[in-house]
Amino acid sequence: MRLPWMSRADRRRWSSARTVAELGELMALWLEGEIASRPGYQPRFGPDEETAHLVPVLTALCRAGYVTTCSQPGLAELGFDGRWWEQRAAVELVVTDPALQRRLVEAARAAGMLVRVNDYRRGGVQDQPVIVTTADGEPFTAFGGRIGRADMRIQWPELGRQLYARVARGTYVSVVAPEYGPAGERLWGILALLTEAPQTC
């Protein structure tokens, strides 16, 4: 039986993080199954089975200065409910380093990806959301869109005040494949390139 709350040990780990690098490492450990719970997600549950093949890219992003918060693969299939489901490959990340954000946005747009930028800060950029999942052709879920105080509290309830403030000054970037279905899985190869060390002459 899974208890419906985060363990004290996990809560201590998240609340003790002081830097974005430490936050990224904890998120990577959760993705790898080393931590049972993460903020803003159902306690004592790991990533969804459909995202298992994305874990290497997601953990590499988390350890490269990007903190992933949500992702899904590109799929097109009949669901258990009898409806036809189509998904665009997509990921949402929190980025606090302006240089990393520019690199991400430029690489994604150059590859033809859809990019949405949203700031929690008042007066920050607030791009419109993009539909990422449909059921029988009807919109079901979206990535991107305005971020408010309630969203931040739900996403990061276990963080200490200083790190929470640092994350709140960051930017949420959603990167979405334009294609529905497996063709959009090319997104992960593009993102993997961001985790490689820049080449020097």
Side-chain angles (χ1 to χ4, degrees):
M1 177 180 139
R2 287 183 171 136
L3 298 174
W5 58 81
M6 186 183 292
S7 71
R8 290 181 181 177
D10 284 354
R11 193 179 301 276
R12 279 195 299 270
R13 292 187 79 166
W14 292 100
S15 64
S16 67
R18 293 291 178 264
T19 67
V20 173
E22 290 176 359
L23 177 61
E25 178 61 23
L26 289 174
M27 192 66 79
L29 291 173
W30 173 79
L31 286 162
E32 293 170 336
E34 297 298 320
I35 298 177
S37 302
R38 56 156 275 198
Y41 198 80
Q42 188 168 358
R44 302 174 192 263
F45 277 80
D48 195 284
E49 288 182 11
E50 72 174 13
T51 63
H53 68 288
L54 310 182
V55 167
V57 174
L58 298 175
T59 55
L61 286 165
C62 287
R63 290 176 171 133
Y66 307 93
V67 180
T68 65
T69 60
C70 190
S71 62
Q72 67 177 36
L75 296 173
E77 61 186 20
L78 192 66
F80 68 90
D81 57 1
R83 291 189 289 177
W84 183 251
W85 291 84
E86 292 186 303
Q87 290 185 175
R88 287 170 160 152
V91 65
E92 181 184 79
L93 316 93
V94 177
V95 191
T96 60
D97 182 325
L100 288 179
Q101 181 181 329
R102 281 193 301 274
R103 188 177 179 213
L104 169 65
V105 171
E106 289 172 2
R109 286 180 174 157
M113 298 292 112
L114 306 175
V115 178
R116 297 294 185 267
V117 176
N118 295 90
D119 291 337
Y120 166 67
R121 298 164 292 186
R122 180 175 295 182
V125 177
Q126 294 289 352
D127 287 342
Q128 293 299 306
V130 58
I131 300 299
V132 296
T133 305
T134 62
D136 283 342
E138 295 295 321
F140 189 80
T141 56
F143 273 34
R146 179 171 291 278
I147 297 169
R149 183 176 298 178
D151 300 310
M152 290 294 290
R153 286 178 176 167
I154 291 169
Q155 186 78 61
W156 304 114
E158 281 81 18
L159 295 192
R161 291 179 62 184
Q162 290 185 336
L163 184 54
Y164 180 91
R166 180 92 170 108
V167 171
R169 289 194 297 270
T171 304
Y172 280 78
V173 179
S174 300
V175 183
V176 181
E179 313 95 339
Y180 283 94
E185 288 285 274
R186 64 191 180 94
L187 167 64
W188 311 112
I190 295 162
L191 294 176
L193 294 175
L194 295 172
T195 67
E196 298 178 356
Q199 298 297 313
T200 57
C201 297

